Amino acid sequence: MTLTVQQTVAPAETTPRRPRSPWRNTKLMVGTLMVLVIVLIGVLGPLFWDTRLSAAASSPLNLPPFWEAGGSSDHPLGTENSGRDMLALVISGAPATLRIGLIVGVISIVIGIVLGFSAGYLGGRIDSVIRTLADTALTIPALAILIVISSYVREIGIATMAFIVALFAWAGPTRLIRAQVLSMRELGYVRMARLSGASTVDIMFKEMMPNLLPYLAAAFVGATSGGILAAVGLESLGLGPQRIPTLGMTIYNALQSSAILRGMWWWWGLPTVILVVIFVGLFLISTGLDEVANPRLRGRR
Amino acid sequence: MTRDMTRSGEPLLRIDDVHVHYGRVIAVNGVDLTVSRGETLGLVGESGSGKSTLAMAILRLITPPGRIVSGRIHLNGVDILSTGGRQLRQLRWTDVSLIPQGSMNSLNPVMRIGDQIQDAIEAHDRRQTKDSLRQRVLSLLDMVRLPARVYGMYPHELSGGMKQRVCIAMAIALGPSLIIADEPTSALDVVVQKTVAETLLKVKEELNSSMILVGHDMALQAQLVDRIAVMYAGNIVEVAPVAELFSNPVHAYTRHLIASVPSITERKPLVVKEFQRPDLTTARPKPELREVSPGHLVALDDEHSDRRTSGEASEREEVIPRG
Amino acid sequence: MFAFTVWLSATIMFAIPQLAPGDPVSAMVTRLTQQAGFVEGSAGMIEAWRERFGLDDPLLIQYAQYLKNMLTFDYGYSLSQFPVEVETMIADAIPWTIGLLTIATIISFIAGTVVGALMAWRRSPALLRLLLPLTLTFTAIPFFILGMLLIYLFVFGLEIFPVAGGYDSTAMPGFNVDFIASVIEHGTLPALSIVIGSMGFWALGMRGMMITIEGEDYLTLAQAKGLNPLRILFRYQIRNAILPQFTALMLSFGHIVGGTVLVEYIFGYPGTGSLLFRALSNSDFTVTQGIVFILILTTAAAVLVVDLIYPLLDPRITYERSST
């Protein structure tokens, strides 16, 4: 018997239903929608409402929203005790908060990609240095250190604040990306590319990046959310930008005047609602992305 | 219609027309099979042929999206597929146990070996003093030629071969009437494979349990089993006593399997055959088995063995069974 | 790791202000002046404090001195309450913080882990699996915002919890029923905001690990062995799934400590958070620095404790790991 090759033509494949794209994830969509609403408030708000009313003494004091007794349609969401209009505060505060988050997110993900790829792909000494640094940065109570730093820096602006916050936000993305790169490095197709002599940069960007996309997106969202959390925390302690009416600053003022116990819910409640929508929205996006990246989490509740 | 292939009386295990689906994939397409007492049956086939799925179905260990769609599996006269809950748990390990694939982490990484063997015994036999339990585990370890210190060790402290022998010790702990060994030597290196195979052989001789040996290592099968069932695309395509199968394979796939076993004394030309597997997601008829000699059954209307199939007739003519 | 964390944090705290224009003392005095309008003898004050901090020494000496002061718990005197030593103020506050932190973290870790395990367990009642994810949403919301909502609900709305503080002024501090009951009453809401806010994190992590482990071969074999489902759940699935939870715990201490600072401030709880806030309002730099350093130390110690316990839980890890 000699070499025999038997081959039959493949039967026309019964076209299977195209599986639903994993990116069409309910959580992901609801979360995106929530964040979009906040973005729209910031973008469209100034067209309909005068944001200069967010300055102190621009409006009457302590007005409740228009549907409560004593409310006025001139200030539909009420005013606080130094005469700022709540609607104007929300319209100008929401985008400022998102902007800080975005800057922190971008800086962290860039650092995360550079460090995470170097650590995971190159390994060895570089890996252990980066890993130790990231783990350490994660365990440090960042907010406490940020408090000390912010208390030094006078006249802090949004960008400065974002940079300071980003100092501690890169560790999360770095750790996550490193872990993924590490596990991906040993996969067949990456090895194949390496053996066939593709350059390191090529392998990183052409072979690995596309598969890392959901993880990168999740890391970005996580860093953004963490950045907003830290920024709002600092602002609520009175350490944020003083010239821009941030949501955290409004909360700080409300707390200083015991707004909660005085029953002025709109004062602390409105910025809180905006923040909750942002945080929950980002959270849903990131769990949605998790499910995209890890199919096993899908469809189980 | 029953095809009783046992030599005498009611078989230990009787599988009737079992269908297992994984989502839309028909993994096991109506298999009939029997195993008699004390017999060792080899279940061979390429990966994806449904042999492991069939083995797991006997243990009722098919997990979603897989499910047993229909059929009957009688073990010691009990229909396994109609049991559940406590009854099923009691049946597992006392009547049928599992030796998992050699490549798997089948041992709990955070439990000592001794505890893992003990909890299998305890789950079924509570009237045990701590001391007698320990003695029992130690004698099991001794039986698979593992030193007593393994008792207090963790899985990560053992080599692959040692772990596999722990699994064998565990599988025989309750003296089950049937042991399912699912590719027990896969992913072990050759020397270790040999010791594991020897352990299996020794255990088999001492226990008189029946065994189903799942795998595609034909050399190992030849050493260990009494009868071989060849699976292909979810069906059994040939069953025969081991000597008969090796000397007189009928189905093209079986011949291919046997031809793949390399031989040093005789350098055969490399045979490459590519079989076009049927689309596993569409319903297909289950092939009828035809008896070509006593105890030797072959799929009848399967394109790979039937002489009536058009084309390549001359090539096929040559390998028609002489018997 | 412990020493490295502490050293790195201390160094960052030392280094960053160096990059900022001016020195901490004049920055502080300027703030003070801005707030109070006029501070008597501010020039002399700057001089005295520059002396105290050795700001005229070379940087390296300043750094060494700073590290020595930090490590020997020598934080000097409070600026706003002059003769009081910073150590004394922190010593009064830190038990409250550590108590709140420990209890809240343990409760949320255990509750979250159980919830996560139940969510992933195939045999959980469907209703439970439907309701539990709702609790996860709270994970997204910062502790202090939850705190504000709880104050609004229970203090302002239902009036069933006291306004602020750590205990009733009528209760005599000490080991007596009144005092302890009062402490619990005052501590419930702050603890609750931390528990609600972090429980979902543990639940999510646990659920993910449980699902991963469900596919492990040792779980299949455990089933084949005919073990009791509860035994499989606890000794096989949970026992393995919980290990990464401890790593996550270590990595999140920093986050929890930071969040607790804000919670204490919201609730006027007499711990380091409120002290820190007062120090910030008074530009009391020595107190701020002292508290933050102590918080870092506390966090690092907590990480160290978990790191030391971990090898006891996972036989695969030996102590060599904790040297990293």
Side-chain angles (χ1 to χ4, degrees):
Chain A
M1 204 144 81
T2 48
L3 186 87
T4 326
V5 178
Q6 257 177 249
Q7 207 160 19
T8 329
V9 182
E13 217 163 68
T14 45
T15 45
R17 268 172 303 143
R18 210 167 151 236
R20 237 182 79 197
S21 161
W23 292 92
R24 281 183 55 193
N25 178 296
T26 321
K27 284 177 191 157
L28 190 59
M29 289 196 288
V30 172
T32 313
L33 203 72
M34 287 168 81
V35 175
L36 271 181
V37 166
I38 304 294
V39 171
L40 283 183
I41 291 179
V43 173
L44 300 180
L47 304 179
F48 297 100
W49 197 251
D50 185 2
T51 50
R52 281 173 303 177
L53 291 174
S54 67
S58 62
S59 316
L61 311 185
N62 299 337
L63 281 182
F66 71 92
W67 64 87
E68 292 210 347
S72 141
S73 56
D74 290 341
H75 302 282
L77 294 183
T79 60
E80 39 92 286
N81 79 338
S82 52
R84 299 169 195 262
D85 176 73
M86 286 309 302
L87 182 57
L89 278 178
V90 165
I91 289 173
S92 43
T97 303
L98 279 179
R99 203 173 313 141
I100 292 182
L102 224 57
I103 300 175
V104 175
V106 169
I107 296 177
S108 317
I109 198 75
V110 169
I111 300 180
I113 288 175
V114 172
L115 292 186
F117 265 92
S118 318
Y121 198 83
L122 303 174
R125 193 170 270 262
I126 297 171
D127 181 34
S128 44
V129 168
I130 292 175
R131 200 191 57 215
T132 311
L133 265 178
D135 279 2
T136 310
L138 271 175
T139 54
I140 293 174
L143 189 72
I145 296 189
L146 289 175
I147 287 171
V148 173
I149 296 173
S150 316
S151 65
Y152 278 121
V153 186
R154 280 164 292 171
E155 291 306 325
I156 198 167
I158 294 234
T160 322
M161 175 113 165
F163 282 121
I164 295 179
V165 171
L167 269 182
F168 290 91
W170 57 270
T174 302
R175 202 170 191 278
L176 197 136
I177 294 167
R178 171 188 170 268
Q180 288 308 321
V181 170
L182 209 61
S183 65
M184 202 169 276
R185 193 173 63 152
E186 296 311 319
L187 289 184
Y189 71 96
V190 176
R191 281 192 162 172
M192 198 71 150
R194 224 173 6 193
L195 288 175
S196 67
S199 79
T200 306
V201 176
D202 257 19
I203 294 174
M204 282 186 184
F205 286 93
K206 286 192 188 146
E207 307 285 340
M208 296 168 88
M209 209 58 125
N211 292 292
L212 278 175
L213 231 103
Y215 294 99
L216 294 180
F220 173 72
V221 172
T224 304
S225 172
I228 295 177
L229 172 61
V232 170
L234 290 176
E235 290 162 13
S236 303
L237 283 166
L239 294 173
Q242 301 296 314
R243 291 163 188 245
I244 311 139
T246 58
L247 295 176
M249 189 179 101
T250 308
I251 291 176
Y252 171 74
N253 290 331
L255 288 172
Q256 287 295 293
S257 315
S258 313
I260 302 180
L261 298 177
R262 281 163 71 187
M264 296 171 70
W265 61 265
W266 60 94
W267 188 358
W268 63 273
L270 289 174
T272 301
V273 166
I274 298 288
L275 287 174
V276 167
V277 172
I278 295 178
F279 281 122
V280 172
L282 290 174
F283 173 75
L284 288 177
I285 293 177
S286 104
T287 42
L289 286 168
D290 250 5
E291 288 173 12
V292 170
N294 185 357
R296 272 214 270 187
L297 294 173
R298 246 177 270 153
R300 292 279 312 272
R301 277 172 190 268
Chain B
M1 168 175 150
T2 54
R3 292 183 199 85
D4 196 349
M5 288 171 274
T6 54
R7 276 138 269 177
S8 65
E10 177 68 7
L12 170 75
L13 175 77
R14 201 174 74 221
I15 300 173
D16 288 316
D17 200 26
V18 163
H19 291 256
V20 183
H21 293 188
Y22 268 94
R24 304 194 310 133
V25 174
I26 301 165
V28 174
N29 184 32
V31 163
D32 306 292
L33 196 63
T34 58
V35 177
S36 34
R37 284 176 203 283
E39 184 188 38
T40 297
L41 175 82
L43 193 56
V44 299
E46 63 190 4
S47 32
S49 62
K51 58 186 193 306
S52 279
T53 305
L54 180 63
M56 286 298 138
I58 299 169
L59 283 154
R60 283 279 300 276
L61 283 175
I62 305 287
T63 48
R67 68 199 171 92
I68 302 170
V69 177
S70 62
R72 256 171 234 272
I73 299 176
H74 285 277
L75 180 69
N76 281 327
V78 179
D79 185 359
I80 294 182
L81 298 187
S82 66
T83 61
R86 183 177 291 271
Q87 198 195 353
L88 175 64
R89 287 209 301 280
Q90 267 165 4
L91 195 142
R92 283 173 175 166
W93 226 252
T94 38
D95 287 326
V96 53
S97 69
L98 171 72
I99 299 171
Q101 294 192 7
S103 57
M104 304 275 176
N105 342 307
S106 296
L107 297 172
N108 185 347
V110 297
M111 257 171 104
R112 290 177 197 278
I113 298 299
D115 292 334
Q116 298 195 46
I117 301 179
Q118 270 170 19
D119 74 357
I121 301 175
E122 268 179 317
H124 302 281
D125 189 358
R126 294 189 173 281
R127 300 150 303 161
Q128 299 258 350
T129 63
K130 271 211 151 63
D131 206 49
S132 73
L133 203 55
R134 189 186 148 83
Q135 284 311 316
R136 208 164 143 183
V137 173
L138 287 176
S139 72
L140 284 168
L141 290 177
D142 186 55
M143 202 160 167
V144 296
R145 298 202 179 95
L146 283 171
R149 66 190 158 85
V150 169
Y151 183 89
M153 289 167 87
Y154 286 102
H156 72 276
E157 297 170 298
L158 304 178
S159 70
M162 289 168 95
K163 275 191 261 191
Q164 200 56 351
R165 276 183 284 162
V166 167
C167 288
I168 296 174
M170 204 185 281
I172 60 174
L174 296 170
S177 38
L178 178 65
I179 298 171
I180 293 174
D182 186 8
E183 305 192 31
T185 59
S186 62
L188 299 174
D189 65 56
V190 185
V191 179
V192 179
Q193 273 185 16
K194 188 164 170 288
T195 45
V196 169
E198 274 169 1
T199 313
L200 271 176
L201 200 65
K202 171 174 184 277
V203 160
K204 181 180 109 104
E205 277 161 7
E206 285 176 31
L207 278 184
N208 199 32
S209 295
S210 300
M211 189 185 287
I212 295 180
L213 182 65
V214 182
H216 39 225
D217 182 345
M218 293 306 276
L220 182 70
Q221 297 280 344
Q223 269 181 8
L224 281 176
V225 309
D226 304 319
R227 210 152 55 90
I228 292 189
V230 180
M231 268 192 95
Y232 182 74
N235 284 104
I236 293 200
V237 293
E238 185 158 9
V239 193
V242 62
E244 162 82 5
L245 191 99
F246 273 90
S247 62
N248 185 20
V250 177
H251 195 272
Y253 183 70
T254 312
R255 292 201 314 269
H256 170 56
L257 269 182
I258 292 169
S260 317
V261 181
S263 162
I264 297 177
T265 49
E266 169 202 359
R267 290 216 171 182
K268 295 178 287 189
L270 187 65
V271 180
V272 179
K273 283 195 185 185
E274 277 190 33
F275 290 89
Q276 182 60 46
R277 221 195 294 172
D279 178 12
L280 292 181
T281 59
T282 50
R284 52 195 186 275
K286 136 188 180 187
E288 288 284 302
L289 293 184
R290 171 180 57 127
E291 193 158 29
V292 290
S293 66
H296 186 169
L297 289 88
V298 183
L300 178 68
D301 44 58
D302 190 275
E303 55 174 306
H304 297 305
S305 64
D306 195 351
R307 70 180 96 175
R308 289 166 304 181
T309 311
S310 59
E312 297 160 328
S314 58
E315 198 260 343
R316 292 190 176 282
E317 212 51 58
E318 190 188 333
V319 290
I320 288 293
R322 281 141 283 178
Chain C
M1 182 93 182
F2 174 76
F4 182 65
T5 309
V6 173
W7 169 79
L8 188 74
S9 328
T11 304
I12 292 172
M13 284 208 300
F14 178 81
I16 300 280
Q18 303 292 338
L19 303 175
D23 61 71
V25 174
S26 22
M28 183 176 58
V29 175
T30 316
R31 273 197 176 217
L32 220 60
T33 320
Q34 278 170 350
Q35 277 172 8
F38 172 73
V39 174
E40 210 172 319
S42 61
M45 199 164 163
I46 291 177
E47 215 32 63
W49 283 103
R50 284 187 71 85
E51 182 76 34
R52 164 70 181 82
F53 285 110
L55 288 181
D56 303 318
D57 292 336
L59 206 60
L60 219 64
I61 304 233
Q62 280 186 46
Y63 178 58
Q65 186 63 38
Y66 161 84
L67 280 186
K68 189 189 150 238
N69 287 346
M70 287 291 125
L71 291 174
T72 52
F73 301 102
D74 178 11
Y75 308 124
Y77 299 98
S78 161
L79 270 179
S80 52
Q81 302 169 32
F82 176 65
V84 186
E85 287 197 337
V86 173
E87 297 94 285
T88 326
M89 298 172 77
I90 295 178
D92 285 344
I94 196 79
W96 291 97
T97 302
I98 292 184
L100 178 65
L101 209 62
T102 312
I103 291 174
T105 307
I106 290 176
I107 292 177
S108 103
F109 183 77
I110 293 175
T113 301
V114 169
V115 165
L118 287 178
M119 276 170 66
W121 196 34
R122 283 186 188 282
R123 292 164 184 266
S124 296
L127 182 71
L128 202 63
R129 280 203 251 167
L130 210 71
L131 287 178
L132 293 176
L134 291 178
T135 62
L136 299 190
T137 315
F138 291 110
T139 308
I141 306 171
F143 301 160
F144 78 99
I145 287 186
L146 287 171
M148 291 186 347
L149 295 171
L150 288 177
I151 293 178
Y152 181 66
L153 206 65
F154 291 106
V155 181
F156 175 75
L158 301 173
E159 296 184 19
I160 49 174
F161 278 103
V163 175
Y167 55 93
D168 275 336
S169 47
T170 53
M172 272 294 288
F175 198 76
N176 59 66
V177 180
D178 271 4
F179 180 68
I180 293 171
S182 164
V183 166
I184 292 176
E185 196 187 12
H186 282 78
T188 305
L189 287 187
L192 204 59
S193 34
I194 298 173
V195 170
I196 296 176
S198 55
M199 205 176 90
F201 177 74
W202 307 121
L204 268 179
M206 188 65 181
R207 173 174 167 270
M209 271 317 290
M210 289 284 286
I211 291 175
T212 305
I213 287 185
E214 206 160 73
E216 290 284 347
D217 310 310
Y218 52 78
L219 219 67
T220 310
L221 192 67
Q223 273 173 331
K225 286 201 280 188
L227 301 184
N228 186 303
L230 282 177
R231 187 177 172 84
I232 297 180
L233 176 69
F234 284 103
R235 289 294 304 271
Y236 286 75
Q237 204 172 0
I238 289 184
R239 181 67 177 73
N240 280 288
I242 208 166
L243 295 173
Q245 291 281 91
F246 284 97
T247 314
L249 182 64
M250 285 199 279
L251 294 175
S252 62
F253 275 134
H255 173 74
I256 299 173
V257 168
T260 307
V261 166
L262 287 166
V263 168
E264 287 186 4
Y265 146 65
I266 298 278
F267 282 95
Y269 201 72
T272 46
S274 301
L275 187 62
L276 183 64
F277 180 66
R278 251 181 296 137
L280 287 173
S281 312
N282 298 330
S283 293
D284 198 335
F285 165 69
T286 46
V287 176
T288 309
Q289 198 178 43
I291 292 174
V292 170
F293 189 75
I294 288 290
L295 287 179
I296 291 165
L297 220 56
T298 309
T299 313
V303 173
L304 186 69
V305 167
V306 177
D307 206 26
L308 289 177
I309 292 175
Y310 197 82
L312 302 179
L313 297 166
D314 189 344
R316 286 163 295 186
I317 309 289
T318 45
Y319 277 92
E320 66 201 75
R321 184 181 164 281
S322 34
S323 63
T324 51

